[in-house]
Amino acid sequence: MTNGGRTFFGHPWGLATLFGTEMWERFSWYGLRAILATFLVASPVQQGLGMTEETAQAVVGVYGALIYLVALPGGWIADRILGPRRSVFWGGFVIMCGHISMAVPVPTPFFVWLGLLLIIAGTGLLKPNISVMVGKLYPEDDDARRDAGFSLFYLGINLGAFFAPIVVGRLAAGDRWHLGFGAAAVGMALGLAQYAWGGRGSLRGVGERPNVPLTPQETRRFALVVSAAVAVTAIALGAWAASGTFTLSRFTLVMTVLILAVPVLYFGYIMFGSHNLTEDERSRMKAYIWLFVAASIFWMIYDLAPSKLLFFAQNHTDLSLFGIPIQAATTQSFNPLFIMIFVPVFAALWVKVGTRVSTPQKFAFALVMVGLSFVVMALAAALAQGGRVSVWWLVLVYLVQVFGELSLSPVGLSVTTKLAPLAFKGQMLGIWFIAVSVGDAVGGQTGRLGDVLSDPAYYLLLAAMAIVAGLALFMFTRRLRAMMSEHHVPATPPIR
């Protein structure tokens, strides 16, 4: 699909619109993420909320977990009610309102929590559906150009992720948190404006209607279910608050348990429900559950970057690169920079090795890498007990972690699709993001270990978990490959 012959690096011009929208949305998301934890722990005198680092880590973990969890209902709303195009627009609008709410310079935390809630809801609408629209720009049989188009699209993601911590971190310096939040709002507003303006011609006909619209009866039932769920949640939270036992720490723990229950119930439903699974489908699902657990462990450590590693950057490192002072938030730019550098390297590597390296082996390598990154963190934390250490320790940590991500993330969606039973092909695509959600939520709770462990011991414990899990996957690779009936899975850039 093109617009009057205009192209974007040889691709439909609509890709330029979606590229810019996603770049600015990721700018707003990664910009907020780069300063959220340090804002939460800053004292009220510093215009922060005065939380402990452990509580802030748990809040950031649950926030990140919900961002990925709501992709499931967001995709359903697009399929049945709004259609992908309107879902992306209204999702971006709600995200922008959330950042504006957080930018309101008032001492009450109400607008902060409202802002985070709006960002979660808006991301659920935008994030899964903008990728769907990219795919719809191409004919069904044009796989090669579609893959290349997605590679350009992912470049936009990482450009936004790279520049956001630098810009937002600089603006938020000196306790100007709400200025940083405002920059994230401006970023989303720019993306929304580009989407609304550029999409009028280039996206005409793409994702305008839901795939299977709700019938009037289904619409009434949906409204009743949502109203009942909101009412029950509000009553439960109100009763908990009235009891005097409500705390943020307990709330994040309850939310983590609920998030953990989602995949347990879902896998139980698939494996033990009456779905007439074949023996091959059942075998592949058993293999996938092990890969899901491995991915959750990986994300549990990897997504501590905006909390535990950010605190380390702020409190224990000499924040300068090549003699140039930087903000703690700037360290969050190391990851997307390395991704942009090494994506083509790893893509070429996986093509070269072909089927000689299996999916379980890639997952195992990723776990060992993320584990080794925390061995490096343990060494840095031990040295930091004697004073601030060089920020280059964090550069090394993020470099090693990216080697792991590029071994696990690109094949996650592909292997999910491949191993899904026929009756669950569409639904299972969202399960990969639940692995991220579970990892983020559990990772947030690991901050509680700080009460009984020193920082070096904390990092070594998590490192040991990942490395042991990785070695176990290596040991059982042959068995898992047999269960999966594995063939080559093409490598594509990671979606974050």
Side-chain angles (χ1 to χ4, degrees):
M1 174 180 174
T2 61
N3 182 32
R6 298 178 73 191
T7 62
F8 180 65
F9 294 102
H11 293 269
W13 186 253
L15 183 62
T17 298
L18 299 177
F19 175 98
T21 304
E22 180 71 350
M23 182 184 70
W24 285 114
E25 187 274 330
R26 290 291 88 182
F27 177 94
S28 70
W29 156 247
Y30 282 101
L32 169 63
R33 198 174 94 136
I35 63 172
L36 179 59
T38 45
F39 163 73
L40 294 176
V41 302
S43 68
V45 174
Q46 298 172 305
Q47 313 304 314
L49 297 190
M51 295 182 191
T52 64
E53 288 189 4
E54 290 75 16
T55 300
Q57 181 175 332
V59 169
V60 172
V62 167
Y63 168 65
L66 292 176
I67 285 287
Y68 288 99
L69 191 64
V70 295
L72 288 176
W76 184 88
I77 289 172
D79 284 341
R80 304 302 306 276
I81 301 176
L82 293 177
R85 185 171 173 182
R86 284 190 293 167
S87 294
V88 170
F89 176 83
W90 288 111
F93 180 78
V94 173
I95 291 170
M96 181 185 69
C97 291
H99 288 297
I100 291 172
S101 178
M102 296 192 68
V104 174
V106 295
T108 174
F110 170 80
F111 289 103
V112 173
W113 303 125
L114 175 63
L116 292 178
L117 184 62
L118 290 173
I119 293 166
I120 290 169
T123 304
L125 283 175
L126 186 149
K127 186 61 180 168
N129 294 308
I130 195 168
S131 296
V132 169
M133 292 185 66
V134 173
K136 288 181 179 292
L137 293 173
Y138 301 88
E140 288 293 330
D141 59 351
D142 198 357
D143 291 338
R145 290 184 71 235
R146 184 185 297 107
D147 289 347
F150 268 107
S151 294
L152 275 174
F153 181 71
Y154 301 143
L155 175 62
I157 290 175
N158 286 293
L159 284 174
F162 173 73
F163 286 109
I166 299 171
V167 174
V168 174
R170 175 63 63 182
L171 291 172
D175 304 330
R176 300 188 302 267
W177 307 107
H178 297 289
L179 189 58
F181 298 146
V186 170
M188 189 65 255
L190 289 171
L192 197 61
Q194 176 177 353
Y195 182 75
W197 181 266
R200 289 187 299 177
S202 63
L203 296 177
R204 187 170 297 148
V206 178
E208 289 185 348
R209 298 182 181 278
N211 293 327
V212 187
L214 292 177
T215 64
Q217 183 180 1
E218 289 174 329
T219 300
R220 289 192 294 272
R221 188 185 306 127
F222 172 73
L224 285 173
V225 170
V226 171
S227 299
V230 171
V232 169
T233 302
I235 291 171
L237 288 175
W240 190 5
S243 71
T245 60
F246 179 90
T247 65
L248 269 178
S249 180
R250 290 171 180 164
F251 174 75
T252 60
L253 182 59
V254 169
M255 289 301 302
T256 298
V257 172
L258 293 176
I259 290 167
L260 282 169
V262 172
V264 173
L265 294 174
Y266 194 84
F267 285 130
Y269 171 70
I270 292 176
M271 296 297 292
F272 302 111
S274 301
H275 309 299
N276 298 317
L277 299 186
T278 66
E279 285 303 314
D280 283 345
E281 288 178 328
R282 197 174 297 276
S283 175
R284 288 196 294 267
M285 278 306 301
K286 289 178 181 178
Y288 183 75
I289 290 172
W290 288 109
L291 296 179
F292 180 93
V293 172
S296 298
I297 294 172
F298 177 87
W299 297 118
M300 176 187 73
I301 296 176
Y302 189 88
D303 276 351
L304 289 176
S307 55
K308 190 71 176 179
L309 300 193
L310 183 61
F311 293 142
F312 184 85
Q314 178 176 261
N315 301 327
H316 300 295
T317 65
D318 178 15
L319 289 169
S320 66
L321 283 172
F322 305 107
I324 301 172
I326 63 172
Q327 302 298 320
T330 304
T331 60
Q332 301 295 289
S333 292
F334 299 159
N335 172 279
L337 175 63
F338 287 137
I339 287 177
M340 288 187 286
I341 292 172
F342 287 103
V343 156
V345 175
F346 272 75
L349 174 64
W350 298 139
V351 170
K352 184 175 182 179
V353 300
T355 57
R356 287 175 293 172
V357 177
S358 66
T359 297
Q361 287 172 321
K362 292 175 183 177
F363 274 52
F365 177 77
L367 284 169
V368 171
M369 286 296 98
V370 81
L372 289 178
S373 77
F374 264 36
V375 173
V376 175
M377 276 304 306
L379 293 172
L383 291 174
Q385 292 176 343
R388 290 184 177 267
V389 298
S390 170
V391 76
W392 287 101
W393 282 97
L394 285 176
V395 174
L396 177 59
V397 167
Y398 286 120
L399 176 62
V400 175
Q401 287 190 351
V402 162
F403 291 162
E405 181 184 7
L406 295 179
S407 304
L408 179 142
S409 186
V411 299
L413 284 172
S414 295
V415 77
T416 299
T417 303
K418 178 190 170 229
L419 299 182
L422 183 62
F424 294 90
K425 283 289 184 183
Q427 300 174 45
M428 282 287 290
L429 287 175
I431 290 295
W432 174 250
F433 293 108
I434 293 181
V436 185
S437 183
V438 168
D440 283 9
V442 175
Q445 295 302 317
T446 62
R448 299 173 186 269
L449 295 173
D451 294 335
V452 294
L453 296 175
S454 65
D455 274 356
Y458 169 86
Y459 292 120
L460 282 177
L461 176 62
L462 295 188
M465 290 176 59
I467 292 172
V468 168
L471 294 177
L473 268 187
F474 274 125
M475 290 174 60
F476 290 99
T477 290
R478 182 174 298 179
R479 174 63 178 159
L480 286 173
R481 291 192 76 171
M483 294 169 67
M484 294 166 59
S485 303
E486 186 178 55
H487 55 72
H488 177 59
V489 178
T492 55
I495 303 176
R496 292 282 282 165

